[in-house]
Amino acid sequence: MSEVKETATLEIECSIEKALSVIGGKWSFLVLRELFEGKKRFGELQKAISKVSPKALTDTLRHLESNGVLIRTVHATVPVTVEYTLTEKGQSLHTIIKEMKYWGSYWA
């Protein structure tokens, strides 16, 4: 008789994968770049990131908000004013994004 060995699948979570999951897609990096300068409204972000569609920007902002990277503040004005600012968690990404910028200017 042959012996049957069972192997358990071990799933190890990668910290880089987790970080990328929090940050999100390609537009997130550009949104973060803009918000490192301070609070911005939707229109300001869209103007600064010229190639992003309104839907992609909305999806990106919602993703970052749901992951605690930014705060969406609604002001009761007519029309309604919405501002986006980085949380402490979002600000902590500044060094990483800055290093990516340096890497990109050297290697890309």
Side-chain angles (χ1 to χ4, degrees):
M1 291 194 141
S2 65
E3 215 174 289
V4 178
K5 290 185 179 180
E6 288 186 38
T7 57
T9 305
L10 180 64
E11 187 174 317
I12 301 171
E13 291 188 31
C14 173
S15 297
I16 294 172
E17 192 174 340
K18 286 174 158 180
L20 289 174
S21 175
V22 169
I23 294 169
K26 69 178 183 178
W27 298 115
S28 296
F29 293 96
L30 300 178
V31 168
L32 289 168
R33 178 195 67 194
E34 294 304 315
L35 292 177
F36 288 138
E37 297 174 9
K39 63 183 168 188
K40 302 270 182 176
R41 294 194 283 199
F42 185 90
E44 293 173 313
L45 290 168
Q46 191 170 21
K47 185 177 179 182
I49 308 168
S50 60
K51 294 183 180 183
V52 67
S53 70
K55 182 188 180 327
L57 181 55
T58 298
D59 291 347
T60 298
L61 291 167
R62 285 181 181 157
H63 174 82
L64 291 171
E65 182 183 16
S66 70
N67 281 282
V69 176
L70 61 81
I71 296 171
R72 178 181 184 263
T73 306
V74 179
H75 300 281
T77 58
V78 178
V80 172
T81 304
V82 179
E83 292 179 327
Y84 298 92
T85 54
L86 291 176
T87 61
E88 182 180 351
K89 183 178 184 178
Q91 285 291 346
S92 71
L93 293 165
H94 193 235
T95 304
I96 297 165
I97 304 296
K98 196 173 181 181
E99 288 300 320
M100 289 177 70
K101 179 181 175 183
Y102 293 145
W103 186 91
S105 66
Y106 186 81
W107 293 103

